[in-house]
Amino acid sequence: DQQVKQNSPSLSVQEGRISILNCDYTNSMFDYFLWYKKYPAEGPTFLISISSIKDKNEDGRFTVFLNKSAKHLSLHIVPSQPGDSAVYFCAASDRSGDKLTFGTGTRLAVRP
Amino acid sequence: NAGVTQTPKFRILKIGQSMTLQCTQDMNHNYMYWYRQDPGMGLKLIYYSVGAGITDKGEVPNGYNVSRSTTEDFPLRLELAAPSQTSVYFCASSYKPGPGLSSAFFGQGTRLTVV
């Protein structure tokens, strides 16, 4: 039972354009959401997060949007750069924040 | 500034062998985690620990054991390796002063193949 779903396994975007990565979840107890970025042969690194009391959080080129009623969140990268090419994981936890449940990842390729 | 260090980086095991994946962190984090990532899949939580002496099962604990005798170390033990345990294993740690959001720092991973 996949509680966090990333339905697009891959995405290709032109440099300078917007990248939009999507994530859906089924567990209504999830209260916190995070995005991680992973390069080959490295561990995931934390990118940006959002609490369920917000609907948007911005950090430089990265913005995460949360739609609680639709149980959907998205990560926007503007403008996309070739160095952004990586696998992006969506993750969620309940109010305790003890455990993270990860999605299956979306591989982003930014073309020069 | 080492962060989370995992050893070994690669290992090939024969069916039935045992091994310990080592994980150590130098950030004085109270929470530590072990995840596995199978091809095309997300990270699945194996075990986690909220502090020295305290461990708990995650989603996929069968076939594994852990211990947490110190804040720094969180080894993962495979007693009887099986092909289904072929995966990439990630250790992570985070600092949680209380309930709420806490981003985890990950190690570089251990790629394990059981043949």
Side-chain angles (χ1 to χ4, degrees):
Chain A
D1 176 28
Q2 191 72 30
Q3 297 186 64
V4 179
K5 301 177 185 178
Q6 294 176 256
N7 292 318
S8 298
S10 63
L11 175 68
S12 181
V13 169
Q14 191 75 38
E15 180 179 6
R17 306 293 290 268
I18 184 171
S19 296
I20 300 177
L21 294 92
N22 294 305
C23 178
D24 298 292
Y25 62 96
T26 57
N27 189 339
S28 57
M29 299 301 289
F30 286 148
D31 240 19
Y32 302 101
F33 304 89
L34 306 89
W35 285 93
Y36 281 82
K37 177 179 179 180
K38 184 182 180 305
Y39 292 118
E42 294 185 10
T45 55
F46 170 71
L47 194 56
I48 192 170
S49 62
I50 189 167
S51 164
S52 61
I53 62 173
K54 294 185 173 183
D55 55 16
K56 176 182 174 181
N57 189 25
E58 201 169 346
D59 184 2
R61 296 186 297 113
F62 302 91
T63 303
V64 55
F65 295 92
L66 175 63
N67 183 333
K68 269 198 89 173
S69 61
K71 293 191 175 67
H72 177 83
L73 64 155
S74 61
L75 174 68
H76 292 209
I77 306 174
V78 183
S80 302
Q81 300 173 353
D84 296 330
S85 297
V87 177
Y88 289 78
F89 289 99
C90 170
S93 77
D94 61 19
R95 188 174 295 270
S96 73
D98 285 349
K99 297 181 288 186
L100 289 174
T101 300
F102 282 82
T104 52
T106 296
R107 183 178 301 277
L108 173 66
V110 180
R111 308 185 304 273
Chain B
N1 191 6
V4 179
T5 303
Q6 291 182 237
T7 55
K9 286 190 171 51
F10 304 93
R11 182 73 185 265
I12 298 175
L13 273 184
K14 292 186 178 178
I15 295 171
Q17 284 185 319
S18 62
M19 77 163 293
T20 300
L21 282 68
Q22 301 291 346
C23 176
T24 188
Q25 51 93 6
D26 61 358
M27 298 173 282
N28 202 31
H29 285 172
N30 46 352
Y31 278 57
M32 294 189 76
Y33 313 84
W34 274 105
Y35 287 88
R36 60 177 284 174
Q37 184 190 11
D38 300 328
M41 303 295 289
L43 284 77
K44 301 281 189 187
L45 183 64
I46 305 171
Y47 271 96
Y48 69 106
S49 168
V50 303
I54 306 169
T55 62
D56 208 347
K57 295 178 181 179
E59 294 176 76
V60 289
N62 292 342
Y64 306 94
N65 278 300
V66 293
S67 59
R68 183 98 182 269
S69 55
T70 67
T71 299
E72 295 78 20
D73 300 304
F74 190 42
L76 177 72
R77 178 86 178 157
L78 284 72
E79 290 294 349
L80 288 169
S84 61
Q85 294 177 305
T86 294
S87 189
V88 180
Y89 292 83
F90 291 101
C91 178
S93 72
S94 64
Y95 175 65
K96 275 180 49 57
L101 183 66
S102 178
S103 62
F105 293 82
F106 282 81
Q108 288 194 313
T110 295
R111 184 176 294 275
L112 175 67
T113 303
V114 182
V115 296

